[in-house]
Amino acid sequence: MSFCEDGSAAECASKLTDTDTRERVAVWDAVAACIQEQLMVQKGVWIPTFGSFNTISKDVETEGRTVTLRWPVFKLARNLLAKHRLTPKKESLPAHMELEPMKFSNVATIANVTWQKRRACVQSTVSLLSSCLQNGQNVAFVLKGIRVLFIDRLTFDMKFYYDFVEKLS
């Protein structure tokens, strides 16, 4: 976890927006649940200012035969890529894929918060992420049950959890 001058990143973001840390965690856990639900039915999802998630077909060689798996991929939002001059360490989403915007009303319902709180949590977290990158900090951002986004200097890498990849396949 990244630390600011007077506390953890989540604490700093909470101070900036009057959102409670528990609410922030609940909102991002709900975002993760919605992403997982969309990917399980082979639909991509776009989170404005953060990035896009989808699955692609990937051939894997196993014991002399080829198995085609659904593989999760992530594309960081253009605003973060351009502002911080980041490049992916490996493949990301193909440019031609159509994605649905995240249904944030579902997120607010799952997290049991108002849409205003949900909006504040998502916007302030993305702002905090950008601020940490601006200050040259490395970042690890966890989406519960799905993956960890690592941003190290000028590159980013998405590490999907084995259990999640297994569920998709």
Side-chain angles (χ1 to χ4, degrees), residues 28 30-55 70 72-77 93-94 97-107 143 146-147 158 160 164:
W28 282 101
V31 167
C34 289
I35 292 168
Q36 190 167 4
E37 183 180 302
Q38 286 293 104
L39 294 180
M40 294 301 280
V41 295
Q42 298 184 13
K43 291 185 180 179
V45 63
W46 168 58
I47 302 171
T49 73
F50 182 69
S52 304
F53 297 84
N54 209 340
T55 59
R70 295 300 304 163
V73 288
F74 173 75
K75 184 175 182 179
L76 196 62
L93 282 174
M97 296 189 119
E98 288 191 32
L99 304 167
E100 291 184 24
M102 172 69 67
K103 290 183 172 75
F104 283 112
S105 58
N106 293 351
V107 170
L143 277 175
I146 298 176
R147 59 87 184 146
M158 181 71 65
F160 288 92
F164 179 66

Side-chain angles (χ1 to χ4, degrees), residues 17 19 27 104 108 113-123:
T17 61
T19 58
V27 166
F104 283 112
V113 297
T114 65
W115 70 267
Q116 294 95 334
K117 286 280 188 183
R118 183 276 315 152
R119 182 177 177 206
C121 285
V122 172
Q123 287 179 341

Side-chain angles (χ1 to χ4, degrees), residues 28 32 62 69 75 93 95 97 102 131 135 153 162:
W28 282 101
T62 60
L69 303 174
K75 184 175 182 179
L93 282 174
M97 296 189 119
M102 172 69 67
S131 176
N135 292 331
R153 305 263 190 266
Y162 176 80

